[in-house]
Amino acid sequence: PEAPASEYIVSATSGSETATDDFEITGDDSPAPTSTSTADIDSPPMPPSSPIASSCPTDATRTVEISDAVELTNALADAQPGDLIHMTDGNYLGTFTAAASGSEDQRISLCGSRAAVIDGGDVGNGCALHITGDYWTISGITVTNALKGVMADDADFTQILGIAVHD
């Protein structure tokens, strides 16, 4: 599947260094604008209050509102095609696995604002969010403090949109 035509900005922060790259996907065969890259020393990380309001689907079969790590673990384990798992603002300490699969017509969505933070606890702790199911959409949230912030293993047709991953 192709990414939707839009402008995208990728930002990565490690310690006091931030690198960003912006690019555009046009959705046709016309050439996209040249991308640019920058690296800033002592740049602050992205602000935690940048909501991605449009990232959550409005046509979910079932919406599961969660507010802590236990609820996130349970929602991921119980995910069904068409579900929207909405993370309210707050910290979700731990490492999590999304193993259920959606379908082409009914994706499973995990979304929230930048202030909804999956915190792996330590950069030595594997993957903060490990996606092994198909047809997931992960959007808007922040992932931090893990060796690998988000890992998609055999996660066919999975979309990761507008998330922040750092430290």
Side-chain angles (χ1 to χ4, degrees):
E2 295 181 8
S6 186
E7 292 184 16
Y8 295 87
I9 297 175
V10 177
S11 180
T13 303
S14 178
S16 64
E17 295 183 24
T18 300
T20 60
D21 190 14
D22 60 315
F23 60 96
E24 179 178 3
I25 296 177
T26 61
D28 58 24
D29 292 329
S30 63
T34 305
S35 79
T36 59
S37 295
T38 61
D40 300 320
I41 306 301
D42 297 326
S43 296
M46 295 174 71
S49 60
S50 303
I52 307 293
S54 64
S55 65
C56 296
T58 56
D59 60 347
T61 304
R62 176 176 70 154
T63 299
V64 180
E65 294 282 338
I66 59 168
S67 60
D68 63 37
V70 171
E71 291 176 353
L72 176 56
T73 299
N74 292 339
L76 293 172
D78 189 41
Q80 304 291 318
D83 277 4
L84 163 61
I85 302 169
H86 181 254
M87 296 174 63
T88 60
D89 292 353
N91 289 323
Y92 297 77
L93 183 62
T95 57
F96 304 92
T97 301
S101 287
S103 66
E104 184 175 358
D105 295 335
Q106 292 191 305
R107 304 182 67 78
I108 302 171
S109 296
L110 175 67
C111 70
S113 78
R114 282 281 185 268
V117 180
I118 293 178
D119 184 339
D122 185 283
V123 293
N125 285 346
C127 301
L129 179 59
H130 190 192
I131 307 163
T132 60
D134 299 333
Y135 291 101
W136 278 84
T137 299
I138 313 298
S139 58
I141 64 174
T142 298
V143 181
T144 188
N145 290 327
L147 182 61
K148 297 178 181 177
V150 179
M151 171 76 100
D153 264 333
D154 270 338
D156 295 333
F157 309 105
T158 291
Q159 300 174 339
I160 301 173
L161 308 169
I163 70 170
V165 179
H166 60 87
D167 295 335

